[in-house]
Amino acid sequence: MKRDHEFKQGHNLNRDIILYLRQISIMNIKAKGYMLGAIAAATYGMNPLFALPLYKVGMDPDSVLFFRYLFAIPILGIMIKARGRNFKLHRKEIFPLIIMGLLVALSSLTLFQSYNYMDAGIASTLLFVYPIMVALIMAVGFKERITFQTILCILLALGGIALLYEGKDGATLSLTGTMLVMVSALSYAIYIVGVNQSTLKDIATLKLTFYVLLFGLTLFFVRTDFGQSLYILDKWYLWGNLLALAIFPTAISFLCTTKAIQYIGSTPTAILGALEPVTALLFGITIFGEMLTPRLGCGVVMIILAVTFIIAGSNITTYLVRFRKLFPKLPIRGKKTRLNQK
């Protein structure tokens, strides 16, 4: 009997250790996902920083995006070979990859075209409707429950981003520019959901990003008359902007986005995109000498709170319950007794 008891205790201990290690593993995966989602948002927010100087010298969006994708593809190819991976695809994966590639390219194209109709800061602000689109697509198409916490995070982030933009008195937004940004947001939202809800979720991140950009490049190749109407830069230092576009908001951002979706899901990754306009604001302050006003400060705080809530996940509810238990309600019967005595 004693041996049986000791055996059961040992078995239970081993089971508890396994469960504990499994929880730690899950926490580590989520932590990586949140970090990658934040990096993806921050690097994607660098688009205007490198694109606008190219627009000033007369380069069109199709040419900018053609070189942006073209330079990013070999970078990813080298990374795939360096890791000893292959480029093989299954037949069932080709068509979804073509669709995802065209969606990403369409999102990039419409966003970059919107810069010609409105300030890049306004376009980046409007683009952030895509987390709402992701949440709605997941709720309607995949029956994902929209929690109060998710709604709170989206509202906080939207409110914070609204504070980051100080519009000019009486200025109205361009209808064309607004429609372009909405198409960009919807395309990006469908891409975020599609990567996590199709056969593509089993493809290695590097390979997936490589083929998404490769198939996306075909859109710009066709739009530039198969390369004949490409704008070729005549100043060597501006090529650095194209290379930076290929590395930061393309290769790094899409890699991190895809991996974050696999780790934490579509909706949290989308909400972490609130860091994109914060990145633009930081560059405006540090590089272009913009002032950090109380209004902008409040906007940043609201976005950080939204990101913090989504990272904390279900732990928020646990903490709130524990905090509520610190302040137990007074018994109502006791209150009535004291009133009667008076």
Side-chain angles (χ1 to χ4, degrees):
M1 292 292 292
K2 185 178 180 180
R3 287 183 178 179
D4 290 343
H5 180 67
E6 289 177 352
F7 175 78
K8 287 181 179 179
Q9 281 187 329
H11 178 72
N12 291 336
L13 179 61
N14 290 335
R15 186 186 63 184
D16 291 341
I17 291 173
I18 291 171
L19 289 174
Y20 178 70
L21 292 176
R22 188 176 296 173
Q23 287 177 348
I24 291 176
S25 176
I26 293 172
M27 289 174 62
N28 288 338
I29 288 174
K30 285 191 174 183
K32 289 179 183 178
Y34 293 130
M35 182 181 69
L36 289 170
I39 294 172
T43 50
Y44 198 75
M46 295 180 180
N47 269 316
L49 179 68
F50 302 119
L52 294 182
L54 298 173
Y55 283 12
K56 287 184 179 179
V57 297
M59 200 170 191
D60 58 283
D62 289 294
S63 295
V64 171
L65 289 167
F66 176 85
F67 286 112
R68 171 188 169 185
Y69 278 49
L70 183 67
F71 290 170
I73 290 169
I75 295 173
L76 293 171
I78 292 170
M79 292 172 70
I80 292 173
K81 295 301 293 183
R83 293 192 177 188
R85 306 283 175 82
N86 60 62
F87 294 88
K88 290 179 62 177
L89 289 174
H90 297 293
R91 185 174 297 179
K92 65 179 181 179
E93 296 169 343
I94 296 176
F95 182 71
L97 279 171
I98 293 174
I99 298 300
M100 293 299 107
L102 292 177
L103 281 171
V104 167
L106 178 63
S107 179
S108 299
L109 177 62
T110 49
L111 178 63
F112 274 53
Q113 285 181 333
S114 71
Y115 294 163
N116 291 322
Y117 296 93
M118 61 176 64
D119 292 340
I122 304 175
S124 299
T125 301
L126 292 175
L127 182 67
F128 194 73
V129 299
Y130 77 82
I132 299 176
M133 294 179 178
V134 169
L136 290 175
I137 292 171
M138 293 300 295
V140 175
F142 301 95
K143 308 302 179 183
E144 181 179 274
R145 188 169 62 91
I146 302 179
T147 63
F148 173 76
Q149 180 185 319
T150 301
I151 296 172
L152 175 64
C153 291
I154 291 174
L155 291 177
L156 267 175
L158 286 175
I161 290 172
L163 290 175
L164 293 187
Y165 167 64
E166 293 188 36
K168 298 177 182 178
D169 294 336
T172 57
L173 294 179
S174 164
L175 179 60
T176 303
T178 302
M179 293 301 297
L180 286 169
V181 177
M182 292 301 105
V183 172
S184 178
L186 180 59
S187 304
Y188 194 53
I190 296 173
Y191 167 76
I192 288 178
V193 174
V195 167
N196 196 39
Q197 301 292 333
S198 66
T199 56
L200 301 181
K201 63 182 179 182
D202 298 322
I203 303 179
T205 307
L206 274 172
K207 186 194 293 188
L208 174 62
T209 310
F210 174 85
Y211 281 108
V212 164
L213 295 181
L214 181 63
F215 290 127
L217 179 65
T218 58
L219 176 64
F220 309 119
F221 185 62
V222 172
R223 285 182 57 84
T224 55
D225 298 326
F226 300 95
Q228 294 183 10
S229 60
L230 276 173
Y231 185 98
I232 306 299
L233 293 169
D234 56 357
K235 297 181 176 63
W236 63 270
Y237 57 87
L238 288 175
W239 288 95
N241 285 58
L242 288 172
L243 186 60
L245 276 172
I247 294 173
F248 295 105
T250 311
I252 294 177
S253 183
F254 285 126
L255 271 175
C256 292
T257 298
T258 305
K259 201 67 177 178
I261 292 169
Q262 293 171 350
Y263 281 158
I264 59 176
S266 302
T267 305
T269 302
I271 294 175
L272 285 168
L275 295 173
E276 291 172 19
V278 174
T279 303
L281 173 65
L282 291 176
F283 280 121
I285 294 170
T286 56
I287 296 177
F288 301 110
E290 297 178 2
M291 297 294 293
L292 180 61
T293 63
R295 176 176 178 173
L296 296 180
C298 289
V300 171
V301 169
M302 290 177 69
I303 290 172
I304 292 174
L305 282 175
V307 172
T308 302
F309 286 161
I310 202 64
I311 290 175
S314 59
N315 292 331
I316 287 289
T317 305
T318 305
Y319 296 146
L320 289 175
V321 170
R322 289 178 181 175
F323 181 76
R324 177 66 189 87
K325 287 181 179 179
L326 294 175
F327 304 94
K329 292 181 180 179
L330 292 172
I332 298 176
R333 187 176 299 175
K335 286 184 178 180
K336 290 181 178 178
T337 303
R338 286 195 297 270
L339 288 171
N340 292 334
Q341 287 177 353
K342 290 181 180 180

